Amino acid sequence: MTSIAVLDYDSGNLHSVARALERVGADVRVTDDGGEAARTDAVLVPGVGHFGACKRSLAMRGLDVVVRDAVASGRPVFGVCVGLQVFLNGSEEDTEEGIGVLEGTSRLLTGEIKVPHMGWNEVAWTAAHPYTAQLPSGTRFYFVHSYAPDVDTPGTIGTTEHGRVFASVLARDNVFATQFHPEKSGEAGLQLYETFVKEAGSR
């Protein structure tokens, strides 16, 4: 069975992520132990809350190093919501630097809109990726966020509009990240996680 480390750094959606991954057949290890995470087939970084607080909490536990090591090893790495944002170089929300495994900056959503952006919205695919091959462009996913990377961020493969068009899915090599929450996105979210788990198990 494919083992997935869900990194525990006091982020709020740990258990819903773990349950979703278990539903699609993963052996889930919710852990803050870097050694345990290093022995799994793939790593997932969940995220709810403030960019700076999340990054500092990851770093305090040495889990930022776990992410970088997993990326360097070639194992699949998946970031969700603020998990996507901490993969970047930084965010307007805080002066704390991101992990930097993806290029770019997360910026506040602006315009005549409600912030946080909360609810279902469409994702348009701008490039092909194995994880999204079975999901048509325009599939709706569930979002809860106030910041997001720009649409021209390197590695953008999916975009969404709320006030402005922003990058809602980023991918580079073995790194994949979504601004939305797959675990809150019904069958489409489960399909995304299932493909991720199968990819991790095939390596």
Side-chain angles (χ1 to χ4, degrees), residues 6 13-23 26 28 30 183:
V6 176
N13 61 335
L14 283 171
H15 298 296
S16 56
V17 169
R19 284 194 300 271
L21 289 168
E22 287 168 351
R23 280 189 62 185
V28 180
V30 177
E183 70 280 358

Side-chain angles (χ1 to χ4, degrees), residues 71-132:
V71 172
S73 75
R75 288 184 295 147
V77 177
F78 198 126
V80 175
C81 196
V82 179
L84 172 149
Q85 295 173 24
V86 297
F87 283 0
L88 299 169
N89 302 121
S91 172
E92 288 184 346
E93 190 174 16
D94 196 281
T95 58
E96 184 79 19
E97 290 185 358
I99 296 174
V101 294
L102 293 173
E103 294 181 25
T105 301
S106 187
R107 296 195 305 112
L108 182 66
L109 297 172
T110 58
E112 296 181 4
I113 54 169
K114 289 184 178 181
V115 175
H117 172 211
M118 185 178 298
W120 295 85
N121 206 339
E122 294 182 356
V123 174
W125 306 126
T126 58
H129 190 278
Y131 292 6
T132 64

